[in-house]
Amino acid sequence: MNTFEEFDVVVVGGGPAGSTLAALVAKQGHSVLVLEKEVFPRYQIGESLLPSTIHGICQLTGAADELAKARFPLKRGGTFRWGANPEPWTFEFAVSPRMAGPTSTAYQVERSKFDEILLNNARRVSAQVREKCEVLDIVEDGDRVTGVRYTDGQGVARHAKAKFVVDASGNKSRLYKRVGGKREYSEFFRNLALFGYFEGGKRLPERTANNILCVAFESGWFWYIPLSDTLTSVGAVVRGDLAEKVQGDPEKALQSLISECPMISDFLSPATRVTEGQYGQIRIRKDYSYHQTKFWRPGMILIGDSACFVDPVFSSGVHLATYSGLLAARSVNSVLAGLVEEKEALGEFEARYRREYSVFYEFLVSFYDMHHDENSYFWRAKKVTHASHPELESFVELVGGVSSGEAALTSADALAERMQSNTQDFSDAVGKKDEDKAGWGDLLNSSVVREAMVEGSKVQLQALLGEDAEEEVPLVEGGLISSPDGMYWVHAPTG
């Protein structure tokens, strides 16, 4: 018999996006059901996090303390062998005044452990979590989504009614099409990733030992992510027209790509590939940069990879997922509390989420293109050339996930003045004095980078300061602002 229950919110998928939203809505006293197809812990890629996720969103959800107890490797920034400079250069999150001090770090995580902590946190704050539950389809009443049909762990057909259905089921979602619109894949980032795990690889010098290392080579670029003192995630990203390089035997393909890249080959010279357990398989991902043309319809919202994903060079995946969970949770909380109409609340969610996605996307296009030279490979795209005065910390704030400025303590003018006075600090942090040699001057003058001073830093400040955070201004004229505790949308004061 098909049985049904009723909730305020049904969340499809228990990954970082779904567990973030579930926790933030359940903490406001609403009934939340999370339906997860798998049983946690389970494998997932996307292991390098940004400060905004740890010190902002996970503070708001209440998961930060458990994450700290897990003792994941502490990430201070990133190291790149990229572009015209033959030597690796490093940036640190601490260069940004918005992330100085205790919020200037993130983690490198085993996603099976990280995701389980976030999902258990949603349970702890009263969300119902049911694993081994496969959602088959949505339920509609006219134009509105009113619930889902699913099968539970015993194969029993069930119907869960809800005021909102949130699809957080990832890039393989079977529901995203039901929101309307279409999934548009990037023509620029038609890339493939081939990746595996190694024990015993080399590390960067002590202070940078836990940095993500990104190394460009003729066919694309490698990531090299330390997950423990001995375990490393290693992946090659190659462009679509070199697909033959990842065909055939995955082991031979990965080794061949490693041999093309001297720095990665050297780092892996003492290492052995993991061949058992969750890390024993060499995996391939393709066509993973896309966005859905609609993020919501009445009663239904797409968050995380169900809505969009972009090239992983700056580790934006979990940031976008958890950030979208926060934005959507504010919208749901606001509608359920009668503070804001659904259309306005979800319009604010979509506008902010699209902006964050677009900033990363446009910056990545310019980043690839800015490092193009006659000897290499696959960065061929238009520059984003709206030049302005150099505001170099904006680069670090963008790649740290704090580029949107929510609840900022400093006015834009004061922040710009501090940026101008701190350019030498940034130059030292990237370990490269002659910025123009590799096109950095043009890149960091780009208005896309300069204007990306938006939301993650506000999230951090709200989590740390609560009611003491400065009053926010709308993203666009007439738009909504977040409440001081970060949990709702409210109308900005007038007059």
Side-chain angles (χ1 to χ4, degrees), residues 321-366:
T322 55
Y323 180 58
S324 68
L326 169 64
L327 296 177
R330 282 182 185 157
S331 298
V332 169
N333 288 340
S334 302
V335 174
L336 294 179
L339 297 174
V340 181
E341 293 296 321
E342 180 179 22
K343 182 177 180 180
E344 187 176 16
L346 293 179
E348 188 73 30
F349 150 76
E350 179 159 355
R352 289 179 183 250
Y353 191 21
R354 284 199 186 280
R355 181 178 183 184
E356 193 77 353
Y357 171 82
S358 297
V359 162
F360 270 96
Y361 183 93
E362 291 183 46
F363 174 74
L364 285 168
V365 171
S366 67

Side-chain angles (χ1 to χ4, degrees), residues 73-270:
L74 199 64
K75 168 186 173 183
R76 291 187 170 91
T79 298
F80 285 72
R81 166 58 184 92
W82 195 280
N85 185 359
E87 297 300 321
W89 51 269
T90 293
F91 72 85
E92 291 193 2
F93 298 126
V95 166
S96 164
R98 294 175 185 259
M99 291 183 286
T103 64
S104 64
T105 58
Y107 300 129
Q108 312 285 21
V109 299
E110 294 183 64
R111 283 288 302 276
S112 57
K113 298 177 182 178
F114 174 79
D115 290 12
E116 186 176 31
I117 290 172
L118 266 57
L119 189 59
N120 285 339
N121 179 69
R123 282 191 177 99
R124 183 183 62 81
V125 296
S126 301
Q128 289 193 41
V129 177
R130 298 178 188 170
E131 297 170 280
K132 297 181 69 176
C133 289
E134 183 173 4
V135 176
L136 306 175
D137 203 357
I138 61 170
V139 177
E140 298 171 295
D141 183 2
D143 291 336
R144 187 170 191 85
V145 175
T146 59
V148 298
R149 292 188 298 104
Y150 72 100
T151 56
D152 65 17
Q154 288 71 48
V156 176
R158 294 187 176 273
H159 172 197
K161 298 182 67 175
K163 296 169 185 173
F164 286 97
V165 171
V166 179
D167 180 15
S169 56
N171 65 328
K172 295 182 179 179
S173 163
R174 60 193 300 171
L175 298 183
Y176 76 91
K177 294 179 181 179
R178 305 288 267 128
V179 86
K182 62 179 180 177
R183 181 174 286 187
E184 293 189 344
Y185 288 87
S186 168
E187 289 301 320
F188 183 80
F189 294 113
R190 302 290 285 206
N191 301 333
L192 299 94
L194 181 71
F195 51 97
Y197 295 80
F198 292 79
E199 278 283 347
K202 293 182 181 180
R203 293 289 181 260
L204 291 163
E206 180 59 32
R207 183 171 176 81
T208 59
N210 291 331
N211 279 9
I212 184 172
L213 172 63
C214 296
V215 182
F217 69 113
E218 186 171 355
S219 297
W221 63 274
F222 268 96
W223 75 70
Y224 190 93
I225 303 173
L227 300 180
S228 74
D229 288 344
T230 60
L231 180 65
T232 309
S233 171
V234 181
V237 176
V238 300
R239 66 179 192 259
D241 62 358
L242 295 177
E244 72 278 359
K245 288 181 175 284
V246 300
Q247 292 173 351
D249 182 352
E251 182 84 45
K252 291 181 179 178
L254 183 57
Q255 289 299 329
S256 177
L257 290 166
I258 290 169
S259 68
E260 284 188 41
C261 185
M263 187 173 185
I264 296 298
S265 183
D266 175 61
F267 269 56
L268 289 176
S269 59

